[in-house]
Amino acid sequence: MKYRIYSAIALLIILLLFPLPAIAANPSHIVTLQTTKICQVCDLTGAYLPVSKLDYAFILSSDLSRANLVGSNITFSNLSRANLNGANLSYVNFKHTKLLLTDFTNAIFDKTDLTEADLTSATISEVQLAKAKLCKTVLPDGLISNRDC
């Protein structure tokens, strides 16, 4: 009897100390995005989409918070009003992409290519921009950066 109680307590402690990540992305939204490249107001929270080819995609007003997009191509696309809070955007190619009013709070930028991207009114920090390639990039304040041309 004591063995069961101790086992239950040990299991409870393990679950509290090591919580499992909750992936809440809607599977049908992921399939829609990958097949049609159109996903408006989609729940892609925590989506695992590394090295995806999402060129010419329309992902408007969608939640991509905590998504893994490492190495993805998202060129000539529109992610305006998207939530990319905490997303991993390392090595993502955003060339010629509209990112108007996009939330990049806590997003990971490492060698992210923002060449000719439009970040008008986006929420993004100077630290994040320092790790990205900027060439003919419209910054959140409307100025154009040619830093890496």
Side-chain angles (χ1 to χ4, degrees):
M1 183 69 163
K2 288 183 182 181
Y3 175 74
R4 288 185 184 171
I5 293 172
Y6 292 134
S7 296
I9 291 171
L11 180 62
L12 183 61
I13 290 171
I14 289 170
L15 290 175
L16 291 174
L17 291 177
F18 305 104
L20 297 173
I23 298 177
N26 185 326
S28 67
H29 289 177
I30 292 173
V31 171
T32 299
L33 175 61
Q34 291 176 328
T35 56
T36 67
K37 296 190 181 179
I38 298 172
C39 207
Q40 296 183 24
V41 193
C42 290
D43 180 9
L44 301 167
T45 304
Y48 185 75
L49 298 166
V51 197
S52 294
K53 296 196 184 302
L54 297 172
D55 301 318
Y56 300 96
F58 291 92
I59 313 170
L60 305 170
S61 300
S62 294
D63 188 353
L64 286 145
S65 57
R66 298 183 321 278
N68 182 341
L69 296 165
V70 174
S72 294
N73 275 321
I74 309 175
T75 62
F76 297 97
S77 298
N78 192 338
L79 278 81
S80 295
R81 296 185 182 271
N83 178 5
L84 288 159
N85 188 333
N88 190 342
L89 306 174
S90 299
Y91 301 96
V92 173
N93 183 354
F94 280 123
K95 286 182 183 175
H96 306 281
T97 297
K98 290 186 181 186
L99 300 159
L100 309 165
L101 295 162
T102 300
D103 181 6
F104 291 106
T105 306
N106 299 317
I108 299 167
F109 280 77
D110 186 23
K111 298 188 181 0
T112 304
D113 192 345
L114 294 169
T115 300
E116 296 189 42
D118 188 349
L119 297 165
T120 302
S121 299
T123 305
I124 189 168
S125 73
E126 292 294 324
V127 173
Q128 291 168 312
L129 288 173
K131 296 178 180 179
K133 179 180 179 184
L134 306 177
C135 180
K136 300 178 186 173
T137 305
V138 180
L139 299 175
D141 59 7
L143 297 175
I144 296 175
S145 175
N146 291 310
R147 181 186 72 201
D148 302 312
C149 291

